[in-house]
Amino acid sequence: MSLGLTINEQASLSALNTLAVAAHARYLVAIGSEGQLRDALRWASDRKLDTLVLGGGSNLVFAGDYDGLVLHMAIRGRRWEQASGDDAVLVLGAGENWHEAVVYAARSGYRGIENLALIPGTAGAAPVQNIGAYGVELGDTLISVTALDRSTMKSVTLTAADCELGYRDSLFKHHPGRYIILEIRLGLSRSRPLKLGYRDLQSYLADTDTASLTPLDVAEAVMAVRRRKLPDPSVLPNVGSFFKNPVIDASRFERLQSQFPDVVSYPAEQGVKLAAAWLIDQAGWKGFRSARVGIHNRQALVLINHSGGTGDDVLALAKEVRQSVQDKFGVELEMEPGIVGRR
């Protein structure tokens, strides 16, 4: 290994996934540069091994061990470029902690990603999921992504349009394994209007003079709201929202609303978006707990690994939740996290 790679065998992954599920990788390597990534891919190719790119491990469920090489992305670095007047571009290495980057930008006075504070994971994973919260998505500020295209083994720059971002969706989900993100570029501004329209955020800031708010004030408000509703993965292992908010067409929504007048919904580009948390709560799951896994008592979207649960335990609970929502509302829930090592 010319760049000093350390390949670990039978490496534990329990500390590298926020569900704290016990799993092992046949091989594990930390990637700190594009050169190291290329070396690691050659090493895996020579041995005919599958590879898995792992960031913060906050959006996947290990349903078993991984019989290949796990590439733990640790490419760090953040810098400002093209600063001009109120605008600047923030460049983040794929291994940068996302929340720390949000706070860094907010403290610097730049707006655009402050509503995405406290989302776990790394910068490189953010475009894959097109992370979003409190009325903001990554796609609102993403300029481009630099990635290694494994089909050509060349480094490419993909514009935001190239990334085909949608609701918790992207090009990277439709072509899994093809692109490995190296860095992302975000367009931020000191004068961009703050987005404060999300109901929980409005409630928290009800007695605040919003005209004087800084991006750091908004980030801190988002953190406070999230902490009220969402458990810290380091205390209660979880992957955040386990299900997407389903989108249905208007006519179907009218029928559902006639039967359930209190159904929580939001406008969406292709119909009406339903609050998955409300559906799960109404199906009786909020606060549920079995011997090892359960559902958070303040946020029904969050599945918890209480006591040494396996990935199969978590997935079995998710299956029951999905079936009960389907039975009660005729609505199918889609899981957000990916599944790795399914037996």
Side-chain angles (χ1 to χ4, degrees), residues 6-171:
T6 301
I7 308 289
N8 298 293
E9 293 188 54
Q10 293 304 311
S12 173
L13 299 171
S14 59
L16 297 180
N17 73 96
T18 60
L19 260 176
V21 166
H24 288 80
R26 183 177 176 185
Y27 300 104
L28 170 70
V29 62
I31 301 297
S33 68
E34 180 180 346
Q36 287 189 337
L37 174 61
R38 290 177 179 275
D39 271 8
L41 291 173
R42 281 193 292 269
W43 188 89
S45 178
D46 289 345
R47 291 156 180 79
K48 295 181 172 53
L49 294 171
D50 290 334
T51 56
L52 171 70
V53 176
L54 182 64
S58 60
N59 196 47
L60 52 77
V61 179
F62 281 105
D65 294 335
Y66 186 74
D67 187 27
L69 175 64
V70 171
L71 306 163
H72 185 214
M73 298 301 287
I75 300 175
R76 303 303 297 269
R78 58 192 182 201
R79 68 184 188 275
W80 294 100
E81 66 176 33
Q82 298 179 13
S84 175
D86 283 347
D87 301 324
V89 175
L90 178 60
V91 184
L92 300 172
E96 280 290 308
N97 178 281
W98 174 256
H99 170 67
E100 291 176 4
V102 169
V103 173
Y104 170 74
R107 282 182 176 156
S108 300
Y110 285 98
R111 306 175 176 199
I113 56 175
E114 57 278 355
N115 292 46
L116 305 181
L118 218 59
I119 293 179
T122 57
V128 178
Q129 187 74 357
N130 188 22
I131 57 172
Y134 302 99
V136 172
E137 290 183 332
L138 181 79
D140 298 335
T141 57
L142 185 69
I143 295 175
S144 65
V145 165
T146 301
L148 180 67
D149 183 348
R150 295 187 64 181
S151 69
T152 61
M153 291 304 291
K154 293 182 179 180
S155 178
V156 296
T157 297
L158 302 171
T159 66
D162 294 333
C163 293
E164 299 176 7
L165 302 178
Y167 172 60
R168 304 299 178 270
D169 197 19
S170 70
L171 168 79

